[in-house]
Structures are given as C-alpha cells and as structure tokens.
Amino acid sequence: MELHLNRVDYIQVGVTSQKTMRLLPALGKKATQKVAIGDHDGILTCFGMKKGEAVPVFKTLPGQKISRMDLGGAVGTPQEKIFVCSGSQVRGFTKKGKQFLTFEANLTETINAMHVSGADLFVCASYIYNHYCDCKDQDYYLSGDKINDITCLSSENLTHLVPVLACQDRVLRVLQGSELSYEIEVPGPPSVLELYNKDGGEEILYGTTDGKIGLVQIGEGSAATKWEIDNDKKKGGILCIDTYDIIGDGVNDILVGRDDGTVEVYGFDGASEPTLRFDHILSESVTSIQGGCVGKESYEEVLTATYTGWVTGLTTEPQKAEAGPGDEVRMSKEIQSKVEALRAELEQLQVKVLQGREQYQQTSQSSTAVSAVPVFSINDKFTLCQDDASYSLTLEVQTAIDNLLLQSDVPIDLLDVDKNSAVVSFSECDSEQPNGNFLLATYRCQANTTRLELKVRSIEGQYGTLQAYVTPRLQPKTCQVRQYQIKPLSLHQRTHSIDQDRPMNRLSLVGQFSFAEIHSWVVFCLPEVPEKTPAGESITFYFHNTFLGTQLEANYCKGEGHFRSDNISTISILSDVLSKEATKKKINLNISYDNNDDSVSHTLKMIHPKLECQLLLAKKVQLIDALKELQVHEGNADFLIPEYRNILDESANLLEEYKKQPAHLERLYGMITDLFIDKFKFKGQNVKTKVSSLLEILDNYDLNSLLDFFNEA
C-alpha cells in the first residue's frame, strides 16, 4: 500500500532537546489534538489548530532549559497531564496550563531522561537512576555507563513495573527495584526507547546512535530480540521513535526521526519484520516525533519537532483539493486572504528589523555603549563510524552557518561527504613548529545551511585535538569554538567480548596508582570509556579496531593493569602513553611484556585483503587515462581485452572510490612499517635502517615475501 504524506509547517518555538514534544489525547474519535512542546528557553507551549492557524492554549514563562517531556495521569484515565524536566526539577501542568506539581529530585546533575506511569516517576541523570512513587524515594541504581533514555513496562505477564535503561555501552539494562535484573546487548549505543504498545505489553523498540532499529521482548528473567533493521544506507542516528497506525491497516506502524533530518514510516505488510513505506528529509535533526491528528479532523499525520523548534506535520490531507466550478471562487478567496495576512505579517517584521538596526546603531555609537556578543546554540556530535573506521563530525546551528574553520594539531585525513555542499579550501601548515598545525581547512557554506557533516580519519598512535571554529551569519560577527579529542587508540570501539583463541601480546603495569588514576589513563587512551570511575574494585573492557579488526582487552584495578591485544602496535602505543601519563604524576611503573611472535603474522594476514584490494584499485586507476587515450585514438574499445574494457566501463566508480579514500594505501604501509619497528623494539633492536627494504617489498607486494622478510629481519 502506497503512503502519500504532505508537509505542513505549523509553528516555530526555541531550540528543542530530544523527546520534548507530545500530542495530548483527542477528545473525540476523529477530533484534532493539542500539541505540547518545551524548548531551551524554558517555555512550555501548548497549541491547537483552528481554521489552518496555530492557536495557543497556554504558554509558560521562560526559565531553565526543558530537557525532557512526558505525559501522565491516573492509571486507566486519559494521559493528559504534562510533565517537563528542567535541571534537576520536574514540573507538572494540566492540559489548560495550570501548574500542579514542582518536584526537586535529589540529583546534582541535569535530568536527561524521564518516564511517568501513574503515581510512579522514573528519572535519570548521566549515570544515576531514581524511582519515586507519590514523590517519595523508592529505588536507586548507579549505571556502569551513561544513561541515554528510560522507559518502563507494565503488563499482565509481568508481576511488577519493569524499568529499562538505554546505556551508551551498547546495553539495555533491565532493573528490578534497585538491582540489575539482566542486560541485553544491542548492535549500537541505544539513544532512544519506546514502548511498542502504549497500553501495556512486553515489547520495547530501541534506536541507536549509528542508525539501527530493533524490537526486544522483555521477560521476567530474560529477553528475546524479535527483529533488527541495519542502517545499510548510512542514514543518521535515531533521536526519536513513535508507534501509530498511520497506514490504517489495524497494525501499529513505526515512526522514526533521525539526526540527519530523515523522517521514516515503517509498516508491516503482514510480515514479521517492518519495511520502509515512506521517508521525507527535513533540513535539520528531528528531535521528537508523534502520530496523531493535528491539522484537520479525520486526517491523520506524522508530527515532528526539529532542533531549531519547527513543528512540522506530514499529513494525509491532500494539499491540492480538486475544486469544482463553484468552489474555485471560494478557494481563491481563502488563498487570497492567507496571502494578504502573510504579506501584512512580513511588512510588520521588516519594519521591526529596521527599527532594531537603527536602535543598535545608535546604542553602539553612544559613549556608554557595551559590546554584546550574540548567543547561539550549537548541537554537535563526534562519533566513530564502524563501517569505514572514520569519525563523523556533525555540527548543527540554530541559525545559518557562514563558515567553519577546522584546525588539527595531529595528522588527520578529511574524507568526502556526499551530503556536504560547502566549498572547502586548505591552508598551508607548518607542522614542524612547536604546537604546529597539521590541518587548516575552511568550509564556506551556502545560504541557509544550518547543518554540516564532515568525516575525518585519524592515525592510531598520534593524538591531540581537533578544533572547529563555527561562525554563523549574525551581526556583529561572532564565533564559537568546539574541541574534540583525538585519542591515541582512536579507531578502537567498545565490544562485549573478544576471540580468546587469537595469539595475544600482553602488557602488565604495577605501581603506586589508584583505581581512579589508571581509569583516567584508559579514558585518555581509548574512546567509548565512561568518564566516571566504575563501581567495584576492578573492571574489564573489550575493544576491537574498526579499521583492522584486531582486538584489545583492558583489565585493571588499584596498583595493577593488564592489557592484551593481537596487534603488537596497540601494545606499543599503550605502553608509551601510559608511561608518559604516569611520569606526569611522578608515579614509578614496573612494566613487563609477554609478546607472541605469531601475533605479527596474524596481524599481517588481517591487513592482507585490505592491502591487496587497495593495490588493485590504485593499479586500475593508474591505467584509466592511458586506456581512455587508446579508446579516443582507435575510435572504440572493442580491441581491448575484457579486463581493460571493464576498467573503462567502471572508470567513474573506480575514481569515486579512490577519491573517497585518500592516503588509504599510505596508511596501510604505515601500519605495516609500525608493526615491523614495534616487533623488534620489544626485542631491543632498532630496525629503522631496514624500512627502505620493507617498502621495496611492499611496492612489489606478495604476502609470503612480506612474512619471510618479517621473520628473517
């Protein structure tokens, strides 16, 4: 069944956070619903639609930024009470805007996730979960990693309310009281949870920061994954999910909002797994999504809120009505009056802008003038992409971006991003200078660009800071700087387990350091490690290298640390960095190694398919110009052997692939060179003089010759 939805923009409020818009229950079966939305100005706005216009029901005064919203009410009654979080405070409002609750949660941090169920209130800060019943403290739990979202299950099959936490370490934690009942591993860091059936049930939908969606059935002591949808098309991360029967087939459809502005509707078609039925791209990230009826009675729609506060509907109502002869005059009058009203509003705004400019000029030239820097909000995300071992930097600004300057004090490659239409230019850098730059790149944006997506790839072992200077189209000119740490083992990603049968190298540290100190060193070295020191006396983390597929196990406690990896270069980097960090704190370390020679050939075999593929690609790209010249000279390519004809046919794709992976071959050469140097460094030998011979072997690459060279050197 085809689904056609038409876009309608309703209203704009301030900048919004994730899950801060809800639809209030309808009064009748096909009646329109009121919309409640909270923004960063602390204003809670509730509006409804009348004759195509957004009419406010109520609006609160500005205050602290609203970070989450939920609806509640007595069990079995319409859930029409509005609950919002600001800082560590939860406030409750009736549907008419009367405040009936102000509750201060005993949290030192901002509440970033909330769920309301009857008299039960569940709130989460970064690592802390609290459950209150009738505003009285019930349960408390300290999570092992950052909590991104919470929901709570209630059904006839479950004997009690079951809270579920979505945690950054790719785990859903199911609680019972103040205790962890069990964990569910999911394929990415879960960013959002939603009940599949709002009236009760045991099924939970989750969305991940890397764009995957799944459905999990929760039981008393275990869970079962019903289905998972991969993010094959490399769309943005999931920020919000809702379930609503928009197609009208009696089965709840899944509505999804992503951080790249994509809105999706998944239907079931009688199958057990959902299929994509509709998608639409908005120009900025979708922070909230709801299914319901807003614009016109009987016409259902997907309602979205975006980062800059636009409330937009994708409605089933046809936008171009087929007017009969008698309707034409009425239709044109309706449209005419709308156009006139918009023109009048535009004129008023232009007058206000002129008055504002004049006032600014007068105040800026007076003797008591005070320079005021315009404040603007930036939503940024710096995440490691597992598929291509690169970092994605997304910057979203509430106003149009004029330009962006990227500066890095470590070697990084900028990769092409198809969605990015900004013009990039590079400046010469002098990396030899102390505190010198390895990268200076300026992106000049087209008009009305509010979102930029960039991709960078780092080199493990080289660490420092990447800085983004964001200049919006505002007067007077102003700029904000954002910093992102490039870590020594930047291409490693957390995982739940590793292959224990691989040949492993071991690094052991013993010294007078605390658990918190060694944890801070591991945080400095590796991404995706929680900043907070873990509870307990020791911890084990597992990682895999997204570029090579090698693995790392980190196990440490007070006074002792053990690191195991099948890549000797990983051990070498860790050894160097941990020694430096300990020296800064004037802590003496007793360092010991246990190296496995088999691990070197194992790592070379893992690099082999990538190296072979890149050499073949480079060889084909080198032939393209010569083959094209031959084709022009001969008039056609029929005389060429099939292999060369195929290169000509695929030339555009080959060049595109080669362009997308700058310095890929050099990077692989660098990894093999590091592996060679590191192998002999641990044996106390300096083999830097033999690197030129190694590069000669790589230029005439053959795996067996390379393995022989490593063994003979």
Side-chain angles (χ1 to χ4, degrees):
M1 185 194 291
E2 281 295 311
L3 180 62
H4 295 288
L5 301 175
N6 301 299
R7 177 176 170 170
V8 186
D9 291 329
Y10 291 127
I11 191 174
Q12 188 178 23
V13 294
V15 172
T16 64
S17 289
Q18 190 183 2
K19 292 176 85 170
T20 49
M21 179 201 71
R22 295 301 290 263
L23 279 175
L24 301 183
L27 296 172
K29 197 175 181 186
K30 291 189 175 180
T32 57
Q33 293 169 263
K34 303 285 189 290
V35 181
I37 182 166
D39 60 28
H40 284 200
D41 299 325
I43 299 168
L44 171 61
T45 306
C46 182
F47 72 92
M49 297 300 293
K50 277 187 184 172
K51 296 180 182 175
E53 295 291 324
V55 179
V57 176
F58 70 86
K59 197 173 184 179
T60 66
L61 292 169
Q64 204 173 353
K65 148 182 162 179
I66 293 172
S67 53
R68 277 292 157 106
M69 178 190 289
D70 202 6
L71 298 181
V75 176
T77 65
Q79 304 291 290
E80 55 189 18
K81 289 188 168 68
I82 305 160
F83 295 87
V84 294
C85 303
S86 296
S88 60
Q89 193 180 73
V90 178
R91 290 175 293 154
F93 296 86
T94 65
K95 62 180 180 179
K96 294 192 174 167
K98 185 184 176 187
Q99 187 170 338
F100 66 87
L101 172 73
T102 304
F103 174 63
E104 192 69 44
N106 53 352
L107 296 168
T108 52
E109 297 177 66
T110 300
I111 295 169
N112 60 14
M114 172 179 69
H115 182 80
V116 180
S117 177
D120 293 285
L121 170 67
F122 304 87
V123 295
C124 298
S126 295
Y127 296 89
I128 299 163
Y129 152 86
N130 271 87
H131 170 205
Y132 304 93
C133 186
D134 286 323
C135 296
K136 290 188 180 69
D137 215 334
Q138 294 287 309
D139 301 309
Y140 167 90
Y141 176 73
L142 181 64
S143 170
D145 210 328
K146 193 165 172 277
I147 302 167
N148 294 329
D149 202 5
I150 181 173
T151 193
C152 198
L153 292 156
S154 61
S155 85
E156 294 166 10
N157 299 333
L158 299 167
T159 54
H160 52 88
L161 286 171
V162 178
V164 182
L165 309 179
C167 299
Q168 188 65 24
D169 54 355
R170 296 177 171 76
V171 164
L172 305 183
R173 290 183 165 86
V174 181
L175 305 181
Q176 184 171 348
S178 295
E179 300 297 319
L180 176 66
S181 180
Y182 60 91
E183 296 179 342
I184 308 154
E185 293 176 7
V186 291
S191 50
V192 62
L193 297 176
E194 193 65 41
L195 298 174
Y196 181 62
N197 187 350
K198 291 168 189 167
D199 300 327
E202 297 107 63
E203 293 178 331
I204 283 184
L205 285 161
Y206 66 82
T208 69
T209 54
D210 51 2
K212 300 182 180 89
I213 310 164
L215 182 73
V216 177
Q217 181 156 12
I218 306 287
E220 285 282 3
S222 64
T225 301
K226 303 290 282 290
W227 47 259
E228 282 174 9
I229 303 173
D230 258 345
N231 186 15
D232 296 329
K233 293 191 175 170
K234 308 288 181 288
K235 292 177 182 173
I238 314 284
L239 285 181
C240 47
I241 297 178
D242 193 29
T243 57
Y244 187 78
D245 182 14
I246 187 85
I247 292 169
D249 57 0
V251 179
N252 269 353
D253 305 306
I254 298 165
L255 319 178
V256 176
R258 296 178 182 265
D259 64 14
D260 62 351
T262 307
V263 179
E264 296 173 322
V265 178
Y266 288 88
F268 281 87
D269 288 340
S272 57
E273 284 201 18
T275 50
L276 185 64
R277 304 294 295 279
F278 173 85
D279 65 344
H280 179 83
I281 295 176
L282 301 170
S283 59
E284 54 198 77
S285 58
V286 182
T287 52
S288 305
I289 194 163
Q290 294 274 281
C293 179
V294 177
K296 199 169 183 183
E297 291 172 11
S298 305
Y299 288 105
E300 289 161 322
E301 63 186 89
V302 176
L303 191 72
T304 62
T306 63
Y307 170 66
T308 62
W310 272 108
V311 180
T312 301
L314 296 166
T315 175
T316 51
E317 181 189 356
Q319 292 301 290
K320 291 180 181 175
E322 290 181 20
D327 293 335
E328 277 176 20
V329 178
R330 184 172 58 80
M331 285 288 289
S332 61
K333 273 184 182 173
E334 271 182 33
I335 291 164
Q336 245 176 327
S337 63
K338 264 192 181 180
V339 168
E340 280 167 14
L342 286 167
R343 276 195 184 133
E345 194 181 343
L346 191 63
E347 281 170 15
Q348 284 175 348
L349 287 169
Q350 283 171 335
V351 169
K352 273 188 183 177
V353 168
L354 282 169
Q355 286 172 346
R357 276 199 184 136
E358 282 172 20
Q359 199 176 345
Y360 175 74
Q361 290 293 336
Q362 285 167 5
T363 53
S364 64
Q365 287 166 11
S366 75
S367 56
T368 56
V370 178
S371 178
V373 175
V375 178
F376 61 96
S377 177
I378 297 180
N379 180 24
D380 59 341
K381 199 172 85 163
F382 189 62
T383 49
L384 177 59
C385 307
Q386 185 177 343
D387 303 316
D388 57 0
S390 68
Y391 274 88
S392 169
L393 173 59
T394 307
L395 293 154
E396 193 166 19
V397 183
Q398 69 180 105
T399 184
I401 304 169
D402 186 18
N403 63 71
L404 167 77
L405 172 69
L406 268 193
Q407 179 262 333
S408 173
D409 58 5
V410 283
I412 55 169
D413 300 327
L414 275 181
L415 308 182
D416 265 6
V417 177
D418 296 335
K419 299 175 196 170
N420 192 346
S421 57
V423 178
V424 63
S425 54
F426 295 92
S427 303
E428 276 188 36
C429 299
D430 188 358
S431 56
E432 300 301 317
Q433 293 287 330
N435 306 320
N437 295 319
F438 279 90
L439 172 77
L440 274 176
T442 308
Y443 286 83
R444 290 193 304 282
C445 301
Q446 295 178 357
N448 301 325
T449 300
T450 57
R451 190 175 186 279
L452 263 182
E453 194 176 322
L454 319 171
K455 277 204 169 201
V456 298
R457 188 176 283 140
S458 56
I459 297 167
E460 288 210 321
Q462 311 222 27
Y463 52 98
T465 309
L466 172 68
Q467 297 192 110
Y469 295 78
V470 184
T471 308
R473 291 179 190 272
L474 286 177
Q475 292 297 333
K477 277 288 174 208
T478 183
C479 174
Q480 269 191 42
V481 187
R482 292 292 163 109
Q483 292 190 333
Y484 310 96
Q485 294 307 313
I486 307 288
K487 304 204 173 192
L489 293 173
S490 54
L491 300 181
H492 278 69
Q493 190 176 56
R494 278 277 294 280
T495 184
H496 300 297
S497 60
I498 58 169
D499 177 5
Q500 298 289 356
D501 296 332
R502 291 189 186 181
M504 302 291 263
N505 305 286
R506 187 186 185 94
L507 162 69
S508 297
L509 311 173
V510 178
Q512 295 294 313
F513 49 78
S514 67
F515 188 24
E517 278 172 329
I518 188 168
H519 179 71
S520 70
W521 302 340
V522 173
V523 168
F524 180 78
C525 287
L526 286 146
E528 299 192 359
V529 180
E531 297 272 338
K532 194 176 176 65
T533 306
E537 292 184 355
S538 68
I539 189 74
T540 301
F541 289 120
Y542 299 111
F543 302 87
H544 81 273
N545 185 312
T546 52
F547 191 73
L548 287 183
T550 56
Q551 58 192 28
L552 169 67
E553 178 190 296
N555 172 266
Y556 53 92
C557 59
K558 180 186 174 183
E560 212 173 310
H562 303 284
F563 302 88
R564 295 167 67 236
S565 174
D566 54 340
N567 185 350
I568 204 164
S569 293
T570 303
I571 293 292
S572 174
I573 292 165
L574 268 174
S575 171
D576 293 346
V577 178
L578 294 173
S579 303
K580 272 187 191 171
E581 291 303 299
T583 307
K584 280 182 196 171
K585 291 272 182 96
K586 297 184 176 158
I587 295 170
N588 285 328
L589 289 183
N590 185 0
I591 302 177
S592 59
Y593 309 99
D594 179 13
N595 293 332
N596 187 332
D597 280 348
D598 292 343
S599 72
V600 177
S601 54
H602 157 82
T603 308
L604 287 172
K605 283 170 186 170
M606 291 190 81
I607 296 173
H608 170 68
K610 291 180 184 296
L611 185 57
E612 206 170 40
C613 176
Q614 284 302 314
L615 284 165
L616 187 63
L617 178 64
K619 193 177 173 184
K620 284 180 176 179
V621 167
Q622 280 177 335
L623 286 169
I624 287 172
D625 286 345
L627 290 171
K628 279 185 175 174
E629 208 171 300
L630 278 170
Q631 186 183 17
V632 169
H633 190 262
E634 296 294 328
N636 60 46
D638 296 345
F639 67 96
L640 293 171
I641 59 170
E643 183 192 339
Y644 289 165
R645 282 208 301 272
N646 192 40
I647 291 171
L648 274 176
D649 294 340
E650 293 289 314
S651 60
N653 293 339
L654 291 168
L655 287 165
E656 184 68 25
E657 195 180 337
Y658 193 68
K659 189 183 167 190
K660 273 185 182 174
Q661 303 184 19
H664 210 85
L665 203 54
E666 289 89 331
R667 182 171 294 249
L668 289 165
Y669 278 17
M671 284 177 177
I672 292 168
T673 308
D674 288 344
L675 197 67
F676 180 64
I677 292 166
D678 291 334
K679 175 186 174 179
F680 292 97
K681 182 177 89 172
F682 286 113
K683 292 181 177 180
Q685 297 173 22
N686 187 341
V687 289
K688 286 185 179 173
T689 52
K690 297 184 179 178
V691 168
S692 53
S693 308
L694 173 63
L695 292 173
E696 278 178 34
I697 285 173
L698 288 174
D699 286 338
N700 305 293
Y701 178 68
D702 171 65
L703 178 61
N704 292 327
S705 307
L706 185 63
L707 289 170
D708 291 343
F709 181 79
F710 266 74
N711 292 329
E712 289 163 9

